Every structure is written in C-alpha cells, then in structure tokens.
C-alpha cells in the first residue's frame, strides 16, 4: 500500500498520459482516414501512415512516462543521443531504406500520380515509360507496354523528373 501513497502523483500523471495517448491515436487515425477518403487514397497506404504516426506518438509517450517517473531530462538527452549515434552509425549503410520510407510518406500526402497512370521517368541513361500498378512504402511497381515489371524505389521518384502521360 505504501507504493500507491508514495507515488500518487506519478500514478495519476501516468493515467492521464495513457488516456491522452489513446485519444491521440484515435484522433490521428480518424483524421488520416478522413484525409484518405477525401482524396481517394489507397487503404494499405493509409494504414502505413497511421502506423508511422502511432509509432511517433508511442515514442513521445514513452519519453513522457520516463520524465513523469523521475528520470532527469539531462539523462534522457544523454541516453537518446547515445542511442541515436549508435543507430545512426549502424543504419548509415541503410540510408536508402529510411529515404524510401520518408519518400513513401511524402508520396502519400502529395500524391502527384495514382495507380493506373502512365508515367515517363526522365532518366538520361534509362528512360522509362510505364503504367503504375502499385504504390508501396518502399517502391512503386510499374508495367511497361512490353509487359516488363519494374520495381522503382520511391526516393528515386523525387530525384528524377516525371511526366504523367494523359490517356
């Protein structure tokens, strides 16, 4: 019983934070789904963006829980900077994965083209004219007129000029 009396403020603050986390997750889910319906986005891409936003909310809530339970902000900053340094060095070789994920989220919200559009990718060495078959978190699947399937990374879509060919 002494635990409850000793940590009443922390328990109440943790409860409030948990309720806020649940509310934020519900609100972001509804907002993203409303945006997706209003702009005719794909359901699996909508769910992917919702997962990213929930992950961000969970990380922020975890940091808040740590602060509530008495860890000094200075210690949190030191721990986070150490972890990000290690992860940064480990992920340096994987920068393209992070770049493709970020590009996938940007494509979701800006969405300059959709499935079924025929696009021309202006690459000096390998120009591509193809129809978009699917848009995923890491890549776009394209089908050429000859039936060849091309998997094109999302980050390259931002590096190359693209024309949407009217049909």
């Amino acid at each position: 019983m002494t635990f409850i009396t000793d940590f009443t403020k922390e328990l109440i603050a943790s409860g409030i934070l948990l309720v806020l986390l649940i509310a934020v997750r519900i609100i972001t889910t509804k907002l993203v789904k409303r945006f997706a319906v209003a702009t005719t986005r794909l359901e699996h891409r909508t769910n992917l963006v919702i997962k990213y936003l929930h992950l961000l909310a969970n990380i922020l809530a975890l940091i808040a829980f740590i602060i509530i339970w008495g860890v000094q902000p200075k210690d949190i900053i030191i721990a986070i900077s150490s972890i990000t340094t290690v992860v940064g060095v480990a992920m340096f070789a994987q920068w393209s994965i992070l770049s493709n994920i970020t590009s996938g989220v940007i494509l979701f919200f800006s969405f300059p083209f959709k499935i079924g559009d025929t696009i021309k990718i202006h690459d000096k060495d390998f120009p591509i004219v193809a129809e978009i078959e699917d848009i995923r978190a890491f890549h776009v699947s394209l089908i050429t007129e000859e039936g060849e399937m091309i998997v094109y990374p999302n980050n390259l879509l931002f590096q190359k000029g693209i024309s949407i060919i009217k049909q």
Side-chain angles (χ1 to χ4, degrees):
M1 210 48 156
T2 62
F3 177 79
I4 293 174
T5 57
D6 291 344
F7 297 103
T8 304
K9 287 193 317 186
E10 289 85 355
L11 289 170
I12 292 171
S14 295
I16 291 170
L17 181 60
L18 191 58
V19 169
L20 282 174
L21 175 63
I22 292 169
V24 165
R25 288 176 58 122
I26 290 169
I27 291 168
T28 56
T29 299
K30 287 184 179 186
L31 287 175
V32 170
K33 285 188 177 189
R34 186 178 301 155
F35 175 79
V37 168
T39 57
T40 64
R41 301 292 194 244
L42 296 174
E43 185 64 29
H44 72 274
R45 296 199 55 204
T46 302
N47 292 334
L48 184 67
V49 171
I50 290 170
K51 284 181 189 177
Y52 291 155
L53 292 175
H54 285 182
L55 178 63
L56 176 64
N58 290 341
I59 291 170
L60 293 175
L62 178 65
I63 292 170
F65 275 122
I66 291 170
I67 291 171
I68 287 171
W69 284 94
V71 177
Q72 297 297 318
K74 180 182 80 170
D75 295 335
I76 294 172
I77 292 171
I78 291 170
I80 289 175
S81 65
S82 299
I83 290 169
T84 53
T85 301
V86 169
V87 169
V89 169
M91 294 296 288
F92 181 73
Q94 301 300 327
W95 69 270
S96 64
I97 292 174
L98 296 174
S99 175
N100 281 320
I101 290 173
T102 304
S103 299
V105 171
I106 293 170
L107 280 174
F108 176 80
F109 286 108
S110 68
F111 222 65
F113 41 77
K114 61 186 180 305
I115 292 176
D117 283 350
T118 301
I119 62 170
K120 178 178 183 180
I121 300 172
H122 302 283
D123 187 340
K124 183 173 81 172
D125 298 324
F126 302 104
I128 298 171
V129 175
E131 180 180 332
I132 298 174
E133 181 182 85
D134 196 9
I135 302 171
R136 301 207 172 238
F138 296 101
H139 64 273
V140 174
S141 298
L142 305 168
I143 301 286
T144 64
E145 288 180 1
E146 296 80 29
E148 178 183 16
M149 181 172 192
I150 299 172
V151 177
Y152 206 77
N154 285 339
N155 63 350
L156 291 181
L157 291 174
F158 288 104
Q159 296 175 13
K160 308 289 181 187
I162 296 177
S163 298
I164 300 173
I165 300 172
K166 302 272 184 194
Q167 292 182 352

